[in-house]
């Protein structure tokens, strides 16, 4: 047990960094081998959707209980147990012999990370009340490094041990196990106590307008981050980029989280309010979305950098959790509300984008919805950036200075002016291009098969490459089931059709779907629920 304050702080720093390294590594390591696991377990689209939705849902549900257990048993003891729980889940996940055991072990691993998400901000507040920015930058950077390492090192580790994906996943359990001892060493020290008293702050924090605004801001930035991680490669591939080239912008966007984690918390703590940072991070997201709307394939790396820099809203939101709360118990309550509610909102993002994409057969409408949603992020962020502690909103009004309210009004005016300019520019662009078709993707190396033929992978058919172009022959919807395919064999089409390829014009995706098939709502919703969520990247 450490005796001096300096040794205790050193152990806390090591413990915070160790926990932060594990908050995302278990998630992104799974994403790195998800394709292999899908083939091994023969996941259906629905099961794959469940696997990819587990992180944000577990973060939301389990995170909501963190303040209760920390108040009862002490934050240090609970963090140590959470890391041990996460290590157990990661190891069991690698050893699982059935899908049920695999899913249960994944929930255990994610539950430990969910508790760490919520309790790190109040621990920073307790041990480093005058260095919130520095310590938040430290653990946000460690989180980004763990996220990048899980995505980038899992496959090389797998190959180094003979190509077994189980070993590639299981090694991260050892890293989580190393994060527990520092916190066990702190159990029993003077600082390690429960979160006593003030039950009103733990049960009534949702009544604070600042707390609700910060929850909405955190949820909006998380939603945008998960949409970018899940759909950016697909958007760029549909714009004509090679599939291999479409993955590079995603890696660049993810890597931007490291410098933003180093920079943003320090900037946030240097000022009383954080209006400017809210406006800048939202504007960066807006610039990336506009680029994807107007010319996605012309400068994909630029759009990726803008979107990745916009994700600097994450360390900003985490920093504001500490800045808007007065003590460790209030920080715990606020962190619980912000992160559990925010991740619950974020879980809907990739599914919403998938539904919109499938129903509109393009990316213009989904991107416009995301662009418009930035207004919510901007306004909620400006409300949360006002220098108004949550505790002050849980007591009778009348204690707030005129300077605070004036600063809030100025920030709101600046934010609304920026929003008007952004939406005005988008409106001018849309008006100029109204009625025009979406720019078609570059022609494929080989022509497409007929629009009414269901092609099954098989031997190459040179007759398709050399056949002259001919008008398509549409079959009735019953002859071409989109989601319930009839049994076929071999490498031929399901129904005898001419082997000529139709010309590709306009929005070809929608042209290839028969009208009757587009009207079948039940199959569409079922396919999107499994397939769209499966697109959610775990990086």
């Amino acid at each position: 047990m450490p005796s001096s304050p300096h040794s205790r702080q050193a152990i806390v720093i090591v413990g915070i960094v160790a926990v932060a390294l594990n908050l995302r590594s278990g998630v992104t390591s799974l994403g790195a081998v998800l394709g292999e696991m899908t083939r091994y377990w023969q996941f259906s689209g629905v099961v794959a959707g469940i696997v990819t939705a587990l992180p944000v849902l577990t973060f939301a549900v389990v995170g909501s209980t963190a303040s209760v257990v920390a108040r009862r048993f002490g934050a240090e003891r609970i963090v140590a147990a959470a890391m041990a729980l996460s290590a157990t889940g990661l190891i069991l996940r690698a050893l699982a012999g059935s899908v049920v055991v695999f899913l249960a072990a994944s929930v255990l691993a994610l539950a430990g990370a969910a508790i760490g998400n919520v309790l790190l901000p109040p621990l920073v507040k307790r041990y480093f009340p005058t260095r919130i920015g520095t310590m938040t930058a430290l653990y946000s950077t460690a989180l980004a490094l763990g996220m990048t390492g899980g995505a980038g090192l899992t496959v090389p580790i797998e190959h180094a041990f003979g190509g077994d994906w189980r070993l590639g996943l299981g090694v991260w359990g050892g890293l989580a196990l190393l994060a527990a001892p520092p916190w066990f060493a702190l159990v029993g020290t003077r600082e390690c106590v429960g979160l006593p008293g003030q039950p009103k702050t733990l049960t009534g924090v949702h009544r604070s307008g600042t707390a609700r605004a910060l929850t909405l801001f955190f949820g909006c930035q998380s939603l945008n981050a998960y949409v970018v991680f899940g759909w950016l490669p697909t958007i760029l591939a549909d714009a004509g980029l090679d599939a291999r080239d479409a993955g590079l912008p995603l890696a660049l966007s993810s890597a931007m989280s490291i410098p933003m984690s180093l920079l943003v918390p320090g900037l946030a703590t240097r000022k009383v309010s954080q209006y400017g940072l809210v406006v800048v991070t939202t504007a960066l997201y807006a610039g990336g979305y506009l680029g994807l709307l107007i010319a996605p394939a012309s400068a994909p790396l630029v759009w990726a950098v803008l979107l990745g820099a916009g994700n600097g809203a994450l360390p900003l939101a985490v920093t504001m959790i500490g800045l808007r709360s007065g003590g460790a118990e209030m920080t715990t309550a606020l962190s619980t509300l912000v992160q559990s509610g925010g991740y619950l909102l974020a879980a809907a993002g990739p599914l919403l984008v998938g539904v919109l994409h499938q129903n509109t057969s393009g990316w213009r409408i989904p991107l416009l919805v995301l662009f418009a949603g930035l207004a919510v992020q901007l306004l909620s962020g400006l409300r949360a950036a006002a220098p108004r502690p949550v505790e002050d909103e849980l007591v009778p009004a009348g204690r707030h200075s005129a300077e605070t309210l004036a600063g809030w009004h100025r920030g709101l005016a600046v934010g609304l002016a920026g929003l008007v300019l952004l939406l005005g520019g988008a409106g001018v662009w849309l008006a100029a291009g109204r009625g025009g078709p979406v720019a078609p993707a570059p022609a494929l190396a080989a022509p497409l098969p007929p629009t009414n033929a269901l092609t099954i992978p098989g031997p190459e058919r040179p007759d398709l490459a050399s056949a002259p172009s001919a008008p398509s022959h549409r079959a009735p919807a019953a002859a071409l089931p989109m989601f319930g395919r009839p049994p076929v064999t071999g490498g031929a089409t399901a129904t005898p059709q001419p082997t000529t390829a139709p010309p590709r014009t306009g929005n070809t995706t929608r042209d290839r779907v028969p009208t009757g098939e587009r009207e079948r709502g039940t199959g569409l919703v079922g396919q999107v629920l499994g397939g769209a969520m499966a697109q959610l990247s775990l990086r």
Side-chain angles (χ1 to χ4, degrees):
M1 181 185 300
S3 56
S4 68
H6 292 295
S7 61
R8 282 196 297 269
Q9 285 197 337
I11 293 175
V12 171
I13 292 174
V14 172
I16 286 175
V17 172
V19 170
L21 285 171
N22 286 280
L23 294 182
R24 296 294 182 275
S25 59
V27 179
T28 56
S29 60
L30 177 61
V33 294
L34 184 59
E36 297 176 59
M37 293 181 53
T38 300
R39 291 189 295 270
Y40 180 85
W41 293 112
Q42 296 183 341
F43 285 160
S44 65
V46 173
V47 174
I50 293 173
V51 170
T52 53
L54 274 179
V56 284
L57 294 177
T58 306
F59 290 166
V61 175
V62 178
S64 65
T65 68
S67 65
V68 177
V69 293
R71 183 167 175 255
R72 174 65 179 84
F73 299 104
E76 292 84 353
R77 185 179 285 108
I78 294 303
V79 169
M83 289 298 99
L85 180 69
S86 184
T88 301
L90 290 170
I91 294 172
L92 289 178
R93 184 175 71 175
L95 300 175
S98 69
V99 174
V100 173
V101 174
F102 173 83
L103 292 175
S106 296
V107 170
L108 287 179
L110 294 168
I115 294 173
N117 283 337
V118 172
L119 294 185
L120 279 190
L123 286 168
V124 168
K125 184 79 171 184
R126 171 183 292 176
Y127 286 96
F128 307 97
T130 61
R131 289 184 284 170
I132 293 175
T134 301
M135 292 305 301
T136 302
L138 180 64
Y139 90 72
S140 296
T141 304
L143 185 152
L145 289 172
M147 177 178 67
T148 305
L153 298 178
T154 300
V155 173
I157 292 173
E158 172 192 353
H159 291 165
F161 288 95
D164 189 348
W165 60 263
R166 293 179 181 273
L167 290 173
L169 285 181
V171 70
W172 299 103
L175 181 63
L177 198 59
L178 292 176
W183 297 104
F184 279 122
L186 290 166
V187 172
T189 60
R190 182 172 56 86
E191 288 85 353
C192 181
V193 293
L195 298 174
Q198 298 195 21
K200 181 181 70 171
T201 64
L202 295 175
T203 60
V205 67
H206 63 277
R207 296 197 298 267
S208 163
T210 297
R212 292 194 299 268
L214 189 52
T215 300
L216 191 55
F217 178 70
F218 187 94
C220 287
Q221 67 82 23
S222 297
L223 183 150
N224 283 296
Y226 276 97
V227 166
V228 170
F229 292 156
W231 289 106
L232 182 60
T234 306
I235 293 172
L236 295 176
D238 288 352
L241 266 69
D242 183 85
R244 291 168 295 182
D245 296 334
L248 178 60
L250 177 61
L252 182 60
S253 179
S254 301
M256 284 298 298
S257 62
I258 297 176
M260 295 303 290
S261 297
L262 284 170
L263 181 65
V264 170
L267 294 176
T269 55
R270 290 177 187 174
K271 295 184 177 295
V272 176
S273 66
Q274 293 74 41
Y275 299 126
L277 289 173
V278 170
V279 172
V280 168
T281 53
T282 306
L284 288 168
Y285 263 128
Y289 286 146
L290 281 177
L292 293 177
L293 273 167
I294 298 172
S298 62
L301 296 182
V302 175
W303 316 141
V305 168
L306 290 175
L307 293 170
N311 199 34
L314 172 60
L316 173 60
V318 173
T319 304
M320 287 198 291
I321 292 174
L323 295 178
R324 295 295 168 264
S325 51
E329 68 279 353
M330 177 56 75
T331 306
T332 304
L334 183 59
S335 181
T336 299
L337 175 67
V338 168
Q339 298 205 47
S340 59
Y343 281 122
L344 190 62
L345 174 62
L351 178 60
L352 173 64
V353 169
V355 170
L356 290 174
H357 173 58
Q358 179 127 1
N359 279 278
T360 62
S361 301
W363 291 108
R364 176 176 291 181
I365 298 301
L367 288 171
L368 284 174
V369 169
L370 291 170
F371 185 86
L374 292 176
V376 180
Q377 177 173 324
L378 177 65
L379 294 178
S380 61
L382 290 173
R383 174 63 176 85
R388 188 176 186 178
V390 170
E391 288 92 340
D392 289 358
E393 297 179 338
L394 299 179
V395 297
R399 298 177 52 190
H400 309 295
S401 65
E403 290 79 9
T404 297
L405 295 177
W408 156 243
H409 292 155
R410 285 194 299 269
L412 179 61
V414 171
L416 288 175
L419 177 63
V420 169
L421 290 176
L422 288 174
L423 294 180
V428 170
W429 172 71
L430 286 175
R434 179 176 295 178
V438 178
L444 299 176
L448 293 174
T451 55
N452 58 342
L454 177 61
T455 303
I456 306 301
E460 294 186 3
R461 299 180 55 190
D463 56 321
L464 286 180
S466 60
S469 191
S472 66
H473 304 278
R474 295 232 170 152
L480 181 58
M482 190 171 182
F483 306 126
R485 299 181 177 180
V488 292
T489 57
T493 59
T495 56
Q497 299 292 344
T499 58
T500 55
R504 301 179 68 203
T505 59
N507 198 337
T508 57
T509 304
R510 192 172 184 85
D511 292 340
R512 291 197 295 269
V513 182
T515 302
E517 193 61 41
R518 289 197 299 267
E519 296 171 355
R520 293 171 57 186
T522 303
L524 176 63
V525 172
Q527 185 74 0
V528 167
L529 182 60
M533 289 305 294
Q535 290 291 333
L536 174 62
S537 169
L538 294 177
R539 291 178 173 81

